[in-house]
Amino acid sequence: RPVTITRCVCQRMPFATLAPLARERGWTLEDVMRETGCGDQCGLCRPYLREMLRTGATEFHEVLWESRGLSPQSPVPSPQ
């Protein structure tokens, strides 16, 4: 069965809402967590937030897992 992940479940926040905000403000993952609470509760959305910040993607069709020791500090890339 296909999977589609589009939001932080704990905060009910769609990645499509977060991505432009994060890009506009130059947020890192830590900033997103501090400012929105996303990724700061159950943590299941953290790998999706990382990918969103890295690529700008807001919809995911595969299960992503958190890697230990990974802490991105770079802001969201500008759309092309």
Side-chain angles (χ1 to χ4, degrees), residues 15 18 22 26-40 43 45-54 66-67 70-76:
F15 299 139
L18 281 174
W27 284 349
T28 64
L29 177 60
E30 287 89 12
D31 297 327
V32 169
M33 291 169 60
R34 181 181 59 252
E35 298 295 327
T36 69
C38 293
D40 200 31
C45 68
R46 265 187 232 138
Y48 302 100
L49 292 171
R50 288 181 197 285
E51 191 66 10
M52 178 195 78
L53 291 170
R54 191 177 72 78
E66 184 72 32
S67 297
L70 197 56
S71 179
Q73 296 296 317
S74 57
V76 177

Side-chain angles (χ1 to χ4, degrees), residues 6-29:
T6 60
R7 68 181 56 235
C8 166
V9 175
C10 295
Q11 296 297 324
R12 297 184 185 127
M13 176 74 70
F15 299 139
T17 300
L18 281 174
L21 188 60
R23 184 174 23 262
E24 175 185 302
R25 298 182 182 182
W27 284 349
T28 64
L29 177 60

